[in-house]
Amino acid sequence: MLKVIFYLKSEKADKNGECSIFARITYKTKRVSLSTGKTISKERWIYTNNLRNLLRLEKEKILKNYLELYRLNVEKKFNHLFNIDPEVSLEMLKAELTGKSKIQTSKTTINEVMQRHNKFFKRKVDAGERSTASLQKYKRSGELLTAFMKKHYTAEDMPVSEISNSFVYNLEEYLKYESSFKGQVGIKNNSVVKYMKMYKTACNYCIRMDLFVRNPFDAYDGKLNVKDAVFLTQQELKLIEEKPIFMERLQKVRDIFLFCCYTGYAPVDALNLTPANLFEDNDGNLWIMTNRTKTAIRENVPVLPPAMAVIKKYKNKQIGLLPQISNQKMNAYLKEIADICEINKHLTWYVSRHTFATTVTLGNGVRLEHVSAMMGHTNIKQTQHYAKVLDVNIMEDMEKLKLKYK
């Protein structure tokens, strides 16, 4: 919580016998002090209880109003910086208040921002905290940014201080309708919003490094188009489990898919699991414990019997808990399984994660916050995207209601 108190620097009075009034700004465990530019005699400061008492002198009333406005200005500047990055630097706040903000002189370019952030992000990837796929997306976002500046500004780079709101929204328009990749022109809305968030994240990182203060991408307000997550019903899940399949490659894909349906692990996390991720608690229950590659958030899941069956089937047959397979092959073979089982849904590996959230957990009464923890979400809103109200739950509730009207 931000605190602002005023105090008298009374070591040395001026020729009128007055001392300087300073503001001490405290946030968390750090503090800075700076002059308010105003003075008062030590006697009057003490007599008025630091200007808190009822004041009779007009000069002191004006001084008190000035200090209140000063406090409000500090809070306003702080809130602006807090919206950019909650880890507000008080030195940065002091620079803003004294008109010495680095944003006035910063020559950092937007390409330098992306490069510095990506260098930092690569260290997280090398440490196993983030995924290589995420790093590739950041690199791709940098390439798109450079292509945009070449086309619309005939420049390969620009200082961050020169990026305006029109630049931000011209970039969005370029990504949606003009950018090209592997022969395809334009990027869909949700991918564009994610790219824009990457630029904002990279700028926030450099703000924390004190390279500049204002994030030009704060102006962006694009929204994701929330689509209903595809998931399997209990009947469809049972159908896949029990359908006779004789091809070994499809049996293997089915096993991996079912494991993810009963654990909620995303593909990249499921394939990284090893026996070292299995833990038994004091009651003899087996857990899988790991961190999500995407967010580094803890993702601990009790092992349900169907998942245990898959673990036992492939025990000691490879390094990991599951056989290795590419995402591309997995999705191609799942399409075959959907055809065999006559399931009219676009079956992908990620459908298993949606199925865990809806049919396996929420559909069986597991609390939303517990599902959120097991899925390694950073906030419960992410889980609510999966929290679909299933028809079976509606019918169960209505059956209870019917009893009251019999």
Side-chain angles (χ1 to χ4, degrees), residues 229-238 241 261-262 304 345 351-366 371 375 386-393 396:
V230 178
F231 62 92
L232 297 177
T233 64
Q234 189 62 56
Q235 291 76 16
E236 291 167 335
L237 184 57
K238 187 176 181 181
E241 287 182 279
C261 283
Y262 287 104
L304 295 173
K345 288 181 179 177
V351 170
S352 63
R353 185 164 165 84
H354 301 170
T355 301
F356 174 79
T358 52
T359 305
V360 174
T361 54
L362 293 169
N364 285 308
V366 178
V371 177
M375 298 187 76
Y386 297 104
K388 304 301 172 185
V389 180
L390 307 179
D391 289 343
V392 64
N393 298 106
E396 284 177 2

Side-chain angles (χ1 to χ4, degrees), residues 223-266:
K223 304 293 182 184
L224 293 171
N225 294 330
V226 179
K227 298 179 181 178
D228 288 344
V230 178
F231 62 92
L232 297 177
T233 64
Q234 189 62 56
Q235 291 76 16
E236 291 167 335
L237 184 57
K238 187 176 181 181
L239 182 60
I240 289 178
E241 287 182 279
E242 297 179 351
K243 187 73 175 180
I245 294 177
F246 303 102
M247 285 179 280
E248 185 179 347
R249 63 180 176 84
L250 294 186
Q251 288 178 0
K252 189 179 294 184
V253 165
R254 174 170 64 179
D255 290 337
I256 296 170
F257 181 78
L258 290 174
F259 175 87
C260 294
C261 283
Y262 287 104
T263 61
Y265 282 106

Side-chain angles (χ1 to χ4, degrees), residues 282-330:
N282 292 333
D283 297 322
N285 301 308
L286 196 64
W287 291 70
I288 302 174
M289 297 186 177
T290 187
N291 292 335
R292 283 199 73 190
T293 305
K294 183 177 178 180
T295 61
I297 300 295
R298 201 69 178 157
E299 190 176 20
N300 300 339
V301 182
V303 181
L304 295 173
M308 191 68 243
V310 175
I311 292 172
K312 287 180 177 178
K313 181 175 180 178
Y314 294 97
K315 187 178 181 181
N316 300 325
K317 292 184 179 180
Q318 65 278 310
I319 297 174
L321 289 185
L322 300 173
Q324 296 296 301
I325 188 171
S326 70
N327 195 69
Q328 186 178 12
K329 284 185 177 180
M330 184 78 180

Side-chain angles (χ1 to χ4, degrees), residues 134-289:
S134 294
L135 178 59
Q136 289 301 321
K137 289 174 185 175
Y138 272 108
K139 289 180 178 179
R140 173 66 182 148
S141 69
E143 293 168 0
L144 287 166
L145 186 59
T146 301
F148 162 71
M149 289 187 289
K150 282 182 180 179
K151 183 171 182 178
H152 285 264
Y153 295 88
T154 61
E156 293 190 2
D157 206 357
M158 288 179 65
V160 176
S161 57
E162 294 181 15
I163 294 180
S164 61
N165 288 0
S166 63
F167 177 101
V168 172
Y169 284 98
N170 284 335
L171 172 58
E172 179 194 40
E173 189 175 332
Y174 169 81
L175 294 176
K176 280 187 175 181
Y177 309 115
E178 300 175 45
S179 64
S180 61
F181 183 64
K182 293 183 178 179
Q184 184 175 346
V185 177
I187 301 173
K188 292 182 179 179
N189 177 77
N190 284 7
S191 294
V192 169
V193 172
K194 290 174 183 177
Y195 277 128
M196 298 298 277
K197 286 184 177 180
M198 288 180 187
Y199 301 133
K200 184 175 181 178
T201 298
C203 284
N204 279 340
Y205 168 74
C206 288
I207 286 170
R208 289 196 292 273
M209 296 295 105
D210 290 334
L211 296 179
F212 49 89
V213 173
R214 185 184 69 87
N215 190 328
F217 289 91
D218 279 343
Y220 183 70
D221 58 358
K223 304 293 182 184
L224 293 171
N225 294 330
V226 179
K227 298 179 181 178
D228 288 344
V230 178
F231 62 92
L232 297 177
T233 64
Q234 189 62 56
Q235 291 76 16
E236 291 167 335
L237 184 57
K238 187 176 181 181
L239 182 60
I240 289 178
E241 287 182 279
E242 297 179 351
K243 187 73 175 180
I245 294 177
F246 303 102
M247 285 179 280
E248 185 179 347
R249 63 180 176 84
L250 294 186
Q251 288 178 0
K252 189 179 294 184
V253 165
R254 174 170 64 179
D255 290 337
I256 296 170
F257 181 78
L258 290 174
F259 175 87
C260 294
C261 283
Y262 287 104
T263 61
Y265 282 106
V268 64
D269 297 314
L271 293 184
N272 285 335
L273 294 173
T274 70
N277 294 115
L278 295 175
F279 294 89
E280 188 174 308
D281 64 22
N282 292 333
D283 297 322
N285 301 308
L286 196 64
W287 291 70
I288 302 174
M289 297 186 177

